[in-house]
């Protein structure tokens, strides 16, 4: 998607926060179900390679049974759905506050909608790619870069920014976070 795509998304008469939340919830639900299925398929392979019998490995058994893993995974599906909505809301809020501080003129609801318009399908793509053993890791890195680009374009359009302000809005939280970690670790090891 380019800037025109985002403008078209934002002028949609059905562009509401509720609709965006439904997209995020649906994609998180599908991703969670795929994760459970992948866990069921991959667990027997891991158990045959690693072994779950403590007498076989000579190590304490830290693995739980497949049934327990399955039940825990099912229990966590609603947590993943709610967590996805909250995560997108928080990320959007952080970007919105920074964009406003940099002179942005957009509204939170519009940014949330624009962000969800790509975050929902990208989470499904990322989840599917993660299932591919080695290639998945390489593809995941490229997808993260693409998601950063899409976030920048969404912020640029919603807040009526130039590229510099939009890029700063995305990378400023990362820089601040690393700065805080650096200060904490420096103080801890001083």
């Amino acid at each position: 998607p380019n800037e025109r795509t985002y403008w078209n998304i934002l002028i949609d008469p059905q562009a509401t926060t509720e609709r965006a939340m439904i997209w995020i919830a649906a994609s998180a639900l599908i991703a969670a179900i795929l994760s459970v299925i992948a866990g069921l398929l991959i667990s027997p392979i891991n158990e045959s390679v690693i072994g779950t019998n403590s007498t076989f490995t000579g190590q304490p058994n830290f693995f739980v049974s497949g049934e327990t893993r399955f039940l825990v995974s099912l229990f966590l599906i609603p947590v993943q759905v709610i967590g996805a909505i909250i995560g997108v809301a928080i990320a959007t809020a952080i970007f919105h506050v920074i964009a406003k501080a940099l002179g942005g003129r957009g509204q939170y609801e519009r940014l949330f909608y624009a962000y969800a318009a790509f975050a929902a399908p990208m989470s499904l793509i990322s989840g599917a790619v993660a299932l591919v053993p080695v290639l998945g890791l390489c593809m995941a890195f490229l997808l993260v870069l693409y998601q950063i680009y899409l976030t920048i374009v969404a912020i640029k359009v919603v807040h009526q920014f130039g590229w510099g302000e939009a890029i700063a809005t995305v990378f400023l939280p990362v820089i601040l976070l690393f700065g805080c970690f650096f200060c904490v670790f420096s103080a801890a090891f001083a």
Side-chain angles (χ1 to χ4, degrees), residues 3 7 16 22 35 38 53-54 62 65 76 82 94 104 119 124-125 135 160 164 175 178 181 184-185 187 190:
E3 292 176 54
W7 279 114
T16 63
I22 290 169
S35 176
N53 183 345
S54 60
F62 294 111
S65 70
L76 291 177
I82 293 167
I94 290 168
L124 292 175
I125 294 167
L135 181 62
Q160 302 168 21
I175 293 167
F178 279 119
F181 281 133
V184 168
F185 284 114

Side-chain angles (χ1 to χ4, degrees), residues 100-124:
K100 283 293 199 180
L102 294 175
R105 295 176 287 209
Q107 298 171 334
Y108 173 80
E109 293 79 12
R110 291 172 57 95
L111 183 59
F112 186 87
Y113 190 81
Y115 190 86
F118 76 81
M122 288 302 287
S123 71
L124 292 175

Side-chain angles (χ1 to χ4, degrees), residues 29-104:
L29 177 63
I30 293 167
I33 291 169
L34 289 175
S35 176
V36 169
I37 293 169
L40 290 173
L41 296 175
I42 293 171
S43 290
I45 296 168
N46 288 342
E47 289 172 2
S48 68
V49 172
I50 298 169
T52 57
N53 183 345
S54 60
T55 58
F56 173 74
T57 61
Q59 300 294 321
N61 186 357
F62 294 111
F63 295 97
V64 294
S65 70
E67 296 83 16
T68 304
R69 233 185 339 261
F70 175 72
L71 291 174
V72 169
S73 297
L74 285 180
F75 172 75
L76 291 177
I77 288 175
V79 174
Q80 287 179 273
V81 171
I82 293 167
I85 294 169
I86 291 170
V88 169
I90 290 171
T92 304
I94 290 168
F95 292 139
H96 181 69
V97 167
I98 292 171
K100 283 293 199 180
L102 294 175

